[in-house]
Amino acid sequence: MGAHRLVLGGVGATGGTVSVILVALSGYASTLIPRHRIGTGWGRSVLLGLATVSSFIVLVFLPPEIARDLFLSAAAPVMLANILGVLLLADLLEREKQRVPDGARA
């Protein structure tokens, strides 16, 4: 994926490549964290929500004027929505898990 992003080129090629690699590494790193360290509740959900923001590292590699405008107009609201979305989805899944009896799960 990172190589493909470099081939596409453009002003965001370097940042996009770094972003792809960083997201892949953070996903892999999250699988190495034992469940008993962070639990399965809100702590894990907050960590996952913050991991969704890691893809916005691309802003660091853009020219400052473009990065500022992009951050203010799109990135900040999307970051907030991603974090809240992960928290809400985790809550929804936890409630569904409590609602469905163990024997009914496939």
Side-chain angles (χ1 to χ4, degrees):
M1 292 291 287
H4 176 68
R5 182 62 189 104
L6 273 177
V7 169
L8 290 175
V11 69
T14 303
T17 302
V18 170
S19 177
V20 167
I21 293 168
L22 180 65
V23 168
L25 290 175
S26 67
Y28 176 70
S30 71
T31 66
L32 300 177
I33 301 172
R35 285 189 186 254
H36 70 274
R37 288 295 285 262
I38 57 172
T40 56
W42 287 102
R44 188 173 190 89
S45 298
V46 168
L47 186 62
L48 181 60
L50 291 174
T52 64
V53 175
S54 65
S55 64
F56 289 98
I57 191 72
V58 69
L59 295 173
V60 174
F61 295 93
L62 291 174
E65 59 279 353
I66 295 173
R68 182 179 48 79
D69 291 342
L70 184 61
F71 180 79
L72 294 174
S73 65
V78 170
M79 286 178 187
L80 182 61
N82 281 347
I83 293 170
L84 291 174
V86 166
L87 293 174
L88 291 173
L89 182 61
D91 184 53
L92 174 77
L93 292 173
E94 188 60 36
R95 288 174 192 251
E96 186 67 12
K97 184 177 168 183
Q98 292 172 359
R99 188 186 71 79
V100 177
D102 284 338
R105 293 186 198 147

Coordinates of all heavy atoms in Angstrom, one line a residue:
M1 N 0.8 -1.2 0.0 CA 0.0 0.0 0.0 C 0.9 1.3 0.0 O 0.6 2.2 -0.7 CB -0.9 0.0 1.2 CG -2.0 -1.1 1.2 SD -3.3 -0.8 0.0 CE -4.2 0.5 0.7
G2 N 1.9 1.2 0.8 CA 2.8 2.4 0.9 C 3.5 2.7 -0.4 O 3.6 3.8 -0.9
A3 N 3.9 1.6 -1.1 CA 4.6 1.8 -2.4 C 3.6 2.3 -3.4 O 3.9 3.1 -4.2 CB 5.2 0.4 -2.8
H4 N 2.4 1.8 -3.4 CA 1.3 2.3 -4.3 C 1.1 3.8 -4.1 O 0.9 4.5 -5.1 CB 0.1 1.5 -4.1 CG -1.1 2.0 -5.0 ND1 -1.1 1.8 -6.4 CD2 -2.2 2.6 -4.7 CE1 -2.2 2.3 -6.8 NE2 -2.9 2.8 -5.8
R5 N 1.1 4.2 -2.8 CA 0.8 5.6 -2.6 C 2.0 6.4 -3.1 O 1.8 7.5 -3.6 CB 0.7 5.8 -1.0 CG 0.4 7.3 -0.7 CD -0.9 7.7 -1.3 NE -1.1 9.1 -1.1 CZ -0.9 10.0 -2.1 NH1 -0.6 9.7 -3.3 NH2 -1.1 11.3 -1.9
L6 N 3.2 6.0 -3.0 CA 4.3 6.7 -3.6 C 4.2 6.8 -5.1 O 4.5 7.8 -5.7 CB 5.7 6.0 -3.2 CG 6.3 6.4 -1.9 CD1 7.5 5.6 -1.6 CD2 6.6 7.9 -1.9
V7 N 3.8 5.7 -5.8 CA 3.6 5.7 -7.2 C 2.6 6.7 -7.7 O 2.7 7.3 -8.7 CB 3.3 4.2 -7.7 CG1 2.9 4.2 -9.2 CG2 4.5 3.3 -7.5
L8 N 1.5 6.8 -6.9 CA 0.5 7.8 -7.2 C 1.1 9.2 -7.3 O 0.6 10.0 -8.1 CB -0.7 7.8 -6.2 CG -1.5 6.5 -6.3 CD1 -2.6 6.6 -5.1 CD2 -2.2 6.4 -7.6
G9 N 2.1 9.5 -6.4 CA 2.7 10.8 -6.5 C 1.9 11.9 -5.9 O 0.9 11.7 -5.2
G10 N 2.2 13.1 -6.2 CA 1.5 14.3 -5.7 C 2.1 14.8 -4.4 O 3.1 14.3 -3.8
V11 N 1.5 15.9 -3.9 CA 2.1 16.6 -2.8 C 1.9 15.8 -1.5 O 2.7 15.9 -0.6 CB 1.4 18.0 -2.6 CG1 -0.1 17.9 -2.2 CG2 2.1 18.9 -1.6
G12 N 1.0 14.9 -1.4 CA 0.8 14.1 -0.2 C 1.4 12.7 -0.3 O 1.1 11.9 0.6
A13 N 2.2 12.4 -1.3 CA 2.8 11.1 -1.5 C 3.6 10.6 -0.3 O 3.5 9.5 0.3 CB 3.6 11.0 -2.7
T14 N 4.5 11.5 0.2 CA 5.4 11.1 1.3 C 4.6 10.9 2.6 O 4.7 9.9 3.3 CB 6.5 12.2 1.6 OG1 7.2 12.4 0.4 CG2 7.4 11.8 2.7
G15 N 3.7 11.9 2.9 CA 2.9 11.8 4.1 C 1.9 10.6 4.0 O 1.7 10.0 5.0
G16 N 1.4 10.4 2.8 CA 0.5 9.2 2.7 C 1.2 7.9 2.9 O 0.6 7.0 3.5
T17 N 2.4 7.8 2.4 CA 3.2 6.6 2.6 C 3.5 6.4 4.1 O 3.3 5.3 4.6 CB 4.5 6.6 1.8 OG1 4.1 6.8 0.4 CG2 5.3 5.4 1.9
V18 N 3.9 7.4 4.7 CA 4.2 7.4 6.2 C 3.0 7.0 6.9 O 3.0 6.2 7.9 CB 4.9 8.7 6.7 CG1 4.9 8.7 8.2 CG2 6.2 8.9 6.0
S19 N 1.9 7.6 6.5 CA 0.6 7.3 7.2 C 0.2 5.9 7.1 O -0.2 5.2 8.0 CB -0.5 8.2 6.6 OG -1.7 7.9 7.2
V20 N 0.3 5.3 5.9 CA 0.0 3.9 5.7 C 0.8 3.0 6.5 O 0.3 2.1 7.2 CB 0.1 3.5 4.2 CG1 0.1 2.0 3.9 CG2 -1.0 4.2 3.3
I21 N 2.1 3.3 6.5 CA 3.0 2.4 7.3 C 2.8 2.6 8.8 O 2.7 1.6 9.6 CB 4.5 2.8 7.0 CG1 4.8 2.4 5.6 CG2 5.5 2.2 8.0 CD1 6.1 2.9 5.0
L22 N 2.5 3.8 9.3 CA 2.2 4.1 10.7 C 1.0 3.4 11.2 O 0.9 2.8 12.2 CB 2.1 5.6 11.0 CG 1.9 6.0 12.4 CD1 3.0 5.5 13.3 CD2 1.6 7.4 12.5
V23 N -0.1 3.4 10.4 CA -1.4 2.8 10.7 C -1.2 1.3 10.8 O -1.7 0.6 11.7 CB -2.5 3.2 9.7 CG1 -3.7 2.3 9.9 CG2 -2.8 4.7 9.9
A24 N -0.4 0.7 9.8 CA -0.2 -0.7 9.8 C 0.6 -1.1 11.1 O 0.3 -2.1 11.7 CB 0.5 -1.1 8.6
L25 N 1.6 -0.4 11.4 CA 2.4 -0.7 12.6 C 1.6 -0.5 13.9 O 1.8 -1.3 14.8 CB 3.7 0.2 12.6 CG 4.7 -0.1 11.6 CD1 5.9 0.9 11.6 CD2 5.2 -1.5 11.8
S26 N 0.8 0.5 14.0 CA 0.0 0.7 15.2 C -1.1 -0.4 15.3 O -1.3 -0.9 16.4 CB -0.7 2.1 15.2 OG -1.6 2.2 14.2
G27 N -1.6 -0.9 14.2 CA -2.5 -2.0 14.2 C -1.8 -3.3 14.7 O -2.4 -4.0 15.6
Y28 N -0.7 -3.5 14.2 CA 0.1 -4.7 14.7 C 0.5 -4.6 16.1 O 0.4 -5.5 16.9 CB 1.4 -4.9 13.8 CG 2.2 -6.0 14.3 CD1 1.8 -7.3 14.1 CD2 3.4 -5.8 14.9 CE1 2.6 -8.4 14.6 CE2 4.2 -6.8 15.3 CZ 3.8 -8.1 15.2 OH 4.6 -9.1 15.6
A29 N 0.9 -3.4 16.5 CA 1.3 -3.2 17.9 C 0.2 -3.4 18.9 O 0.3 -3.9 20.0 CB 1.9 -1.8 18.1
S30 N -1.0 -3.0 18.4 CA -2.2 -3.2 19.3 C -2.5 -4.6 19.5 O -3.1 -5.0 20.6 CB -3.4 -2.4 18.7 OG -3.9 -3.1 17.6
T31 N -2.1 -5.5 18.6 CA -2.4 -6.9 18.8 C -1.4 -7.5 19.8 O -1.7 -8.6 20.3 CB -2.3 -7.7 17.5 OG1 -0.9 -7.7 17.0 CG2 -3.2 -7.2 16.4
L32 N -0.3 -6.9 20.1 CA 0.7 -7.4 21.0 C 0.4 -7.0 22.4 O 1.0 -7.5 23.4 CB 2.1 -6.8 20.6 CG 2.6 -7.2 19.2 CD1 3.9 -6.6 18.9 CD2 2.6 -8.7 19.1
I33 N -0.5 -6.1 22.7 CA -0.9 -5.6 24.0 C -1.8 -6.7 24.6 O -2.9 -6.9 24.1 CB -1.6 -4.3 24.0 CG1 -0.7 -3.2 23.4 CG2 -2.0 -3.8 25.4 CD1 -1.4 -1.9 23.2
P34 N -1.4 -7.3 25.7 CA -2.2 -8.3 26.4 C -3.5 -7.7 26.8 O -3.6 -6.5 27.3 CB -1.4 -8.7 27.6 CG 0.0 -8.3 27.3 CD -0.1 -7.1 26.4
R35 N -4.6 -8.4 26.7 CA -5.9 -7.9 27.1 C -6.0 -7.5 28.6 O -6.7 -6.6 28.9 CB -7.0 -9.0 26.8 CG -7.3 -9.0 25.3 CD -8.5 -9.9 25.1 NE -8.7 -10.1 23.7 CZ -9.7 -9.5 23.0 NH1 -10.5 -8.7 23.6 NH2 -9.8 -9.6 21.7
H36 N -5.3 -8.3 29.4 CA -5.4 -7.9 30.8 C -4.7 -6.6 31.2 O -5.0 -6.0 32.2 CB -4.8 -9.1 31.7 CG -3.3 -9.2 31.6 ND1 -2.7 -9.9 30.6 CD2 -2.3 -8.7 32.3 CE1 -1.4 -9.9 30.7 NE2 -1.1 -9.1 31.8
R37 N -3.9 -6.1 30.3 CA -3.2 -4.8 30.5 C -4.2 -3.6 30.4 O -4.2 -2.7 31.1 CB -2.1 -4.6 29.5 CG -0.8 -5.4 29.7 CD -0.1 -5.0 31.0 NE 0.6 -3.8 31.1 CZ 1.9 -3.7 30.9 NH1 2.6 -4.7 30.5 NH2 2.5 -2.6 31.1
I38 N -5.1 -3.7 29.3 CA -6.0 -2.6 29.1 C -7.4 -2.9 29.2 O -8.3 -2.1 29.1 CB -5.7 -1.9 27.7 CG1 -5.8 -2.9 26.6 CG2 -4.4 -1.2 27.7 CD1 -5.8 -2.3 25.2
G39 N -7.7 -4.2 29.4 CA -9.1 -4.7 29.5 C -9.8 -4.7 28.2 O -9.3 -4.5 27.1
T40 N -11.1 -4.9 28.3 CA -11.9 -4.9 27.1 C -13.0 -3.8 27.1 O -13.8 -3.8 26.2 CB -12.6 -6.3 27.0 OG1 -13.4 -6.5 28.1 CG2 -11.7 -7.4 26.8
G41 N -13.0 -2.9 28.0 CA -14.0 -1.9 28.1 C -13.6 -0.6 27.5 O -13.0 -0.6 26.4
W42 N -13.8 0.5 28.2 CA -13.6 1.8 27.6 C -12.1 2.1 27.3 O -11.8 2.8 26.4 CB -14.2 2.9 28.6 CG -15.7 2.9 28.5 CD1 -16.5 2.4 29.4 CD2 -16.5 3.5 27.5 NE1 -17.8 2.6 29.0 CE2 -17.8 3.3 27.8 CE3 -16.2 4.2 26.3 CZ2 -18.9 3.7 27.0 CZ3 -17.2 4.6 25.5 CH2 -18.5 4.4 25.9
G43 N -11.2 1.6 28.1 CA -9.8 1.8 27.9 C -9.4 1.3 26.6 O -8.7 2.1 25.8
R44 N -9.8 0.2 26.2 CA -9.4 -0.4 24.9 C -10.1 0.4 23.8 O -9.5 0.7 22.7 CB -9.8 -1.8 24.8 CG -9.3 -2.5 23.6 CD -9.7 -4.0 23.7 NE -9.0 -4.8 22.6 CZ -7.8 -5.3 22.7 NH1 -7.1 -5.2 23.8 NH2 -7.3 -6.0 21.7
S45 N -11.3 0.9 24.0 CA -12.0 1.6 23.0 C -11.4 3.0 22.8 O -11.3 3.5 21.6 CB -13.5 1.8 23.4 OG -14.1 0.6 23.5
V46 N -11.0 3.7 23.9 CA -10.3 4.9 23.7 C -9.0 4.8 23.0 O -8.6 5.6 22.1 CB -10.1 5.6 25.1 CG1 -9.1 6.8 25.0 CG2 -11.4 6.0 25.7
L47 N -8.2 3.7 23.3 CA -7.0 3.4 22.6 C -7.2 3.2 21.1 O -6.5 3.8 20.3 CB -6.3 2.2 23.2 CG -4.9 1.9 22.7 CD1 -3.9 3.0 23.0 CD2 -4.4 0.6 23.3
L48 N -8.2 2.5 20.8 CA -8.6 2.2 19.4 C -9.0 3.5 18.7 O -8.7 3.8 17.6 CB -9.7 1.2 19.2 CG -10.1 0.8 17.8 CD1 -8.9 0.3 17.0 CD2 -11.2 -0.2 17.9
G49 N -9.8 4.3 19.4 CA -10.3 5.6 18.9 C -9.1 6.6 18.6 O -9.0 7.2 17.5
L50 N -8.1 6.6 19.5 CA -6.9 7.4 19.3 C -6.1 6.9 18.1 O -5.5 7.7 17.4 CB -6.1 7.5 20.5 CG -6.8 8.3 21.7 CD1 -5.9 8.2 22.9 CD2 -7.0 9.8 21.3
A51 N -6.1 5.6 17.9 CA -5.3 5.0 16.8 C -5.9 5.4 15.5 O -5.2 5.5 14.5 CB -5.3 3.5 16.9
T52 N -7.2 5.7 15.4 CA -7.8 6.1 14.2 C -7.2 7.5 13.7 O -7.2 7.8 12.6 CB -9.3 6.2 14.2 OG1 -9.7 7.2 15.2 CG2 -9.9 4.9 14.6
V53 N -6.8 8.3 14.7 CA -6.2 9.6 14.4 C -4.8 9.5 13.8 O -4.4 10.4 13.2 CB -6.2 10.4 15.7 CG1 -5.6 11.8 15.5 CG2 -7.6 10.6 16.2
S54 N -4.2 8.4 14.0 CA -2.8 8.3 13.5 C -2.6 8.4 12.0 O -1.6 8.8 11.5 CB -2.2 6.9 14.0 OG -2.9 5.8 13.3
S55 N -3.7 8.2 11.3 CA -3.6 8.3 9.8 C -3.4 9.8 9.4 O -3.0 10.1 8.3 CB -4.8 7.8 9.1 OG -6.0 8.5 9.5
F56 N -3.7 10.7 10.3 CA -3.6 12.1 10.0 C -2.2 12.7 10.1 O -2.0 13.9 10.0 CB -4.6 13.0 10.8 CG -6.0 12.7 10.4 CD1 -6.8 11.9 11.0 CD2 -6.5 13.4 9.3 CE1 -8.1 11.6 10.6 CE2 -7.8 13.2 8.8 CZ -8.6 12.3 9.5
I57 N -1.2 11.8 10.3 CA 0.2 12.2 10.3 C 0.6 12.8 9.0 O 1.5 13.6 8.9 CB 1.1 11.0 10.7 CG1 2.5 11.4 11.0 CG2 1.1 10.0 9.5 CD1 2.7 12.1 12.2
V58 N -0.2 12.5 8.0 CA 0.0 13.1 6.6 C 0.1 14.6 6.7 O 0.8 15.2 5.9 CB -1.0 12.6 5.6 CG1 -2.4 13.1 5.9 CG2 -0.6 12.9 4.2
L59 N -0.6 15.2 7.6 CA -0.6 16.7 7.7 C 0.7 17.3 8.0 O 1.1 18.4 7.6 CB -1.6 17.1 8.8 CG -3.1 16.8 8.5 CD1 -4.0 17.2 9.7 CD2 -3.6 17.5 7.2
V60 N 1.6 16.5 8.7 CA 2.9 17.0 9.1 C 3.8 17.1 7.8 O 4.7 18.0 7.8 CB 3.6 16.0 10.0 CG1 5.0 16.3 10.3 CG2 2.8 15.9 11.3
F61 N 3.5 16.3 6.8 CA 4.4 16.3 5.6 C 3.8 17.3 4.5 O 4.5 17.4 3.4 CB 4.5 14.9 5.1 CG 5.2 14.0 6.0 CD1 4.5 13.2 6.9 CD2 6.6 14.0 6.0 CE1 5.2 12.4 7.8 CE2 7.3 13.1 6.9 CZ 6.6 12.4 7.8
L62 N 2.7 17.9 4.7 CA 2.2 18.8 3.7 C 2.8 20.2 4.0 O 3.2 20.5 5.1 CB 0.7 18.9 3.8 CG -0.1 17.7 3.4 CD1 -1.6 17.8 3.7 CD2 0.1 17.4 2.0
P63 N 2.7 21.1 2.9 CA 3.2 22.5 3.1 C 2.3 23.1 4.2 O 1.1 22.8 4.3 CB 2.9 23.1 1.8 CG 2.9 22.0 0.8 CD 2.4 20.8 1.5
P64 N 2.9 23.9 5.1 CA 2.2 24.5 6.2 C 0.8 25.1 5.9 O -0.2 24.9 6.7 CB 3.1 25.5 6.8 CG 4.5 25.1 6.3 CD 4.2 24.4 5.0
E65 N 0.7 25.9 4.9 CA -0.5 26.6 4.6 C -1.6 25.6 4.2 O -2.8 25.7 4.6 CB -0.4 27.7 3.5 CG 0.1 27.2 2.2 CD 1.6 27.0 2.1 OE1 2.3 27.4 3.1 OE2 2.1 26.5 1.1
I66 N -1.3 24.5 3.4 CA -2.2 23.5 3.1 C -2.6 22.7 4.3 O -3.8 22.4 4.5 CB -1.7 22.6 2.0 CG1 -1.4 23.4 0.7 CG2 -2.6 21.4 1.7 CD1 -0.7 22.6 -0.4
A67 N -1.7 22.3 5.1 CA -1.9 21.5 6.3 C -2.9 22.3 7.3 O -3.8 21.7 7.8 CB -0.6 21.2 7.0
R68 N -2.6 23.5 7.5 CA -3.5 24.3 8.4 C -4.9 24.4 7.9 O -5.9 24.1 8.6 CB -2.9 25.7 8.5 CG -3.7 26.6 9.5 CD -3.1 28.0 9.7 NE -2.8 28.7 8.4 CZ -3.7 29.3 7.7 NH1 -5.0 29.3 8.0 NH2 -3.3 29.9 6.6
D69 N -5.1 24.7 6.6 CA -6.4 24.8 6.0 C -7.1 23.4 6.1 O -8.3 23.4 6.4 CB -6.4 25.3 4.6 CG -6.0 26.8 4.5 OD1 -6.1 27.5 5.6 OD2 -5.5 27.2 3.4
L70 N -6.4 22.4 5.7 CA -7.0 21.1 5.7 C -7.4 20.6 7.1 O -8.4 20.0 7.4 CB -6.0 20.0 5.1 CG -6.5 18.6 5.0 CD1 -7.8 18.6 4.1 CD2 -5.5 17.7 4.4
F71 N -6.5 20.9 8.1 CA -6.8 20.6 9.5 C -8.0 21.3 10.0 O -8.9 20.6 10.6 CB -5.6 20.9 10.4 CG -5.9 20.5 11.8 CD1 -5.7 19.2 12.2 CD2 -6.2 21.5 12.7 CE1 -6.0 18.9 13.6 CE2 -6.5 21.1 14.1 CZ -6.3 19.8 14.5
L72 N -8.1 22.6 9.8 CA -9.3 23.3 10.3 C -10.6 23.0 9.6 O -11.6 22.9 10.2 CB -9.0 24.8 10.1 CG -7.8 25.4 11.0 CD1 -7.6 26.8 10.7 CD2 -8.1 25.1 12.5
S73 N -10.5 22.7 8.3 CA -11.7 22.5 7.5 C -12.2 21.1 7.6 O -13.4 20.8 7.5 CB -11.6 22.9 6.1 OG -10.6 22.1 5.4
A74 N -11.3 20.1 7.7 CA -11.8 18.7 7.6 C -11.2 17.8 8.6 O -11.9 17.0 9.2 CB -11.4 18.2 6.2
A75 N -9.9 17.8 8.8 CA -9.2 16.8 9.7 C -9.7 16.8 11.1 O -10.0 15.8 11.7 CB -7.7 17.0 9.6
A76 N -9.8 18.0 11.7 CA -10.2 18.1 13.1 C -11.6 17.5 13.4 O -11.8 16.7 14.2 CB -10.1 19.5 13.7
P77 N -12.6 17.9 12.6 CA -13.9 17.3 12.7 C -13.9 15.8 12.5 O -14.6 15.0 13.2 CB -14.8 18.0 11.7 CG -14.1 19.3 11.4 CD -12.6 19.0 11.6
V78 N -13.2 15.3 11.5 CA -13.1 13.9 11.2 C -12.5 13.1 12.3 O -12.9 12.0 12.7 CB -12.4 13.6 9.8 CG1 -12.2 12.2 9.6 CG2 -13.3 14.2 8.7
M79 N -11.4 13.7 12.9 CA -10.7 13.0 14.0 C -11.7 12.9 15.2 O -11.8 11.8 15.8 CB -9.5 13.9 14.4 CG -8.3 13.8 13.5 SD -7.0 14.9 14.2 CE -5.9 14.9 12.9
L80 N -12.4 13.9 15.5 CA -13.3 13.9 16.6 C -14.5 12.9 16.3 O -14.8 12.0 17.2 CB -13.9 15.3 16.9 CG -14.9 15.4 18.0 CD1 -14.2 15.0 19.3 CD2 -15.4 16.8 18.1
A81 N -15.0 12.9 15.1 CA -16.0 11.9 14.7 C -15.5 10.5 14.8 O -16.3 9.6 15.2 CB -16.5 12.3 13.3
N82 N -14.3 10.2 14.3 CA -13.8 8.9 14.4 C -13.6 8.4 15.8 O -14.0 7.2 16.1 CB -12.4 8.8 13.7 CG -12.4 8.8 12.2 OD1 -13.5 8.6 11.6 ND2 -11.3 9.0 11.6
I83 N -13.1 9.2 16.7 CA -13.0 8.8 18.1 C -14.3 8.5 18.7 O -14.6 7.5 19.4 CB -12.2 9.9 18.9 CG1 -10.7 9.9 18.4 CG2 -12.2 9.5 20.4 CD1 -9.9 11.1 18.9
L84 N -15.3 9.5 18.5 CA -16.6 9.3 19.1 C -17.3 8.1 18.5 O -18.0 7.3 19.1 CB -17.4 10.5 18.9 CG -17.0 11.7 19.7 CD1 -17.9 13.0 19.3 CD2 -17.1 11.4 21.2
G85 N -17.1 7.9 17.2 CA -17.7 6.7 16.5 C -17.2 5.4 17.0 O -18.0 4.5 17.3
V86 N -15.9 5.3 17.3 CA -15.4 4.1 17.9 C -15.9 3.8 19.3 O -16.3 2.7 19.6 CB -13.8 4.1 17.9 CG1 -13.3 3.0 18.8 CG2 -13.3 4.0 16.5
L87 N -16.0 4.9 20.1 CA -16.6 4.8 21.4 C -18.0 4.3 21.4 O -18.5 3.5 22.2 CB -16.4 6.1 22.2 CG -15.0 6.4 22.5 CD1 -14.9 7.8 23.2 CD2 -14.3 5.4 23.5
L88 N -18.8 4.9 20.5 CA -20.2 4.6 20.4 C -20.4 3.2 19.9 O -21.3 2.4 20.4 CB -21.0 5.6 19.5 CG -21.1 7.0 20.1 CD1 -21.7 7.9 19.1 CD2 -22.0 7.0 21.4
L89 N -19.6 2.8 18.9 CA -19.7 1.4 18.4 C -19.3 0.4 19.4 O -20.0 -0.7 19.5 CB -18.9 1.3 17.1 CG -18.9 -0.1 16.4 CD1 -20.4 -0.4 16.0 CD2 -18.0 -0.1 15.3
A90 N -18.3 0.7 20.2 CA -17.9 -0.3 21.2 C -19.0 -0.4 22.3 O -19.3 -1.5 22.7 CB -16.6 0.3 21.9
D91 N -19.6 0.7 22.6 CA -20.7 0.6 23.6 C -21.9 -0.2 23.0 O -22.5 -1.0 23.7 CB -21.2 2.0 24.0 CG -22.3 2.0 25.0 OD1 -22.0 1.4 26.1 OD2 -23.3 2.7 24.8
L92 N -22.2 0.0 21.8 CA -23.3 -0.7 21.1 C -23.0 -2.2 21.1 O -23.9 -3.0 21.4 CB -23.5 -0.2 19.7 CG -24.5 -1.0 18.8 CD1 -25.9 -0.6 19.2 CD2 -24.2 -0.7 17.4
L93 N -21.8 -2.6 20.7 CA -21.4 -4.0 20.7 C -21.4 -4.6 22.1 O -21.8 -5.8 22.2 CB -20.0 -4.1 20.0 CG -20.0 -3.8 18.5 CD1 -18.6 -3.9 18.0 CD2 -20.9 -4.7 17.7
E94 N -21.0 -3.9 23.1 CA -21.0 -4.4 24.4 C -22.4 -4.6 24.9 O -22.7 -5.6 25.6 CB -20.2 -3.4 25.4 CG -20.0 -4.0 26.8 CD -19.2 -5.2 26.8 OE1 -18.3 -5.4 26.0 OE2 -19.5 -6.1 27.6
R95 N -23.3 -3.7 24.6 CA -24.7 -3.9 25.0 C -25.3 -5.1 24.3 O -26.1 -5.8 24.9 CB -25.5 -2.6 24.7 CG -25.2 -1.5 25.7 CD -25.9 -0.2 25.2 NE -25.4 0.9 25.9 CZ -26.1 1.6 26.8 NH1 -27.4 1.2 27.1 NH2 -25.6 2.6 27.4
E96 N -25.0 -5.2 23.0 CA -25.5 -6.4 22.3 C -25.0 -7.7 22.8 O -25.7 -8.7 22.9 CB -25.2 -6.2 20.8 CG -25.8 -7.3 19.9 CD -27.3 -7.2 19.7 OE1 -27.9 -6.2 20.2 OE2 -27.8 -8.1 19.2
K97 N -23.7 -7.7 23.2 CA -23.1 -8.9 23.8 C -23.8 -9.2 25.1 O -24.0 -10.4 25.4 CB -21.6 -8.6 24.1 CG -20.9 -9.7 24.6 CD -19.4 -9.3 24.7 CE -18.6 -10.3 25.5 NZ -17.2 -9.9 25.7
Q98 N -24.2 -8.3 25.9 CA -24.9 -8.5 27.1 C -26.4 -9.0 26.9 O -26.9 -9.8 27.6 CB -24.9 -7.3 28.0 CG -23.6 -6.9 28.6 CD -23.5 -5.6 29.3 OE1 -24.5 -4.9 29.4 NE2 -22.4 -5.2 29.8
R99 N -27.0 -8.5 25.8 CA -28.3 -8.8 25.5 C -28.5 -10.2 25.0 O -29.5 -10.9 25.3 CB -28.9 -7.8 24.4 CG -30.4 -7.9 24.2 CD -30.8 -7.0 23.0 NE -30.3 -7.5 21.7 CZ -30.9 -8.4 21.0 NH1 -31.9 -9.1 21.5 NH2 -30.4 -8.8 19.8
V100 N -27.6 -10.7 24.1 CA -27.7 -12.0 23.5 C -27.1 -13.0 24.4 O -26.0 -12.9 24.9 CB -27.0 -12.0 22.1 CG1 -27.0 -13.4 21.5 CG2 -27.6 -11.0 21.2
P101 N -27.9 -14.1 24.8 CA -27.4 -15.1 25.7 C -26.2 -15.9 25.0 O -26.1 -15.9 23.8 CB -28.6 -16.1 25.8 CG -29.7 -15.5 25.1 CD -29.3 -14.3 24.4
D102 N -25.3 -16.4 25.8 CA -24.1 -17.1 25.3 C -24.5 -18.2 24.4 O -23.8 -18.4 23.4 CB -23.3 -17.7 26.5 CG -22.5 -16.6 27.2 OD1 -22.3 -15.5 26.6 OD2 -22.1 -16.8 28.4
G103 N -25.5 -19.0 24.6 CA -25.8 -20.1 23.8 C -26.3 -19.7 22.4 O -26.3 -20.5 21.4
A104 N -26.8 -18.5 22.3 CA -27.4 -18.0 21.0 C -26.3 -17.4 20.1 O -26.6 -17.2 18.9 CB -28.5 -17.0 21.2
R105 N -25.1 -17.2 20.5 CA -24.1 -16.7 19.7 C -23.5 -17.7 18.8 O -23.3 -18.9 19.2 CB -22.9 -16.1 20.6 CG -23.4 -14.9 21.3 CD -22.2 -14.3 22.1 NE -22.8 -13.4 23.1 CZ -22.2 -13.2 24.3 NH1 -21.1 -13.7 24.6 NH2 -22.8 -12.4 25.1
A106 N -23.2 -17.4 17.6 CA -22.7 -18.3 16.6 C -21.2 -18.3 16.6 O -20.6 -17.3 16.9 CB -23.2 -18.0 15.2

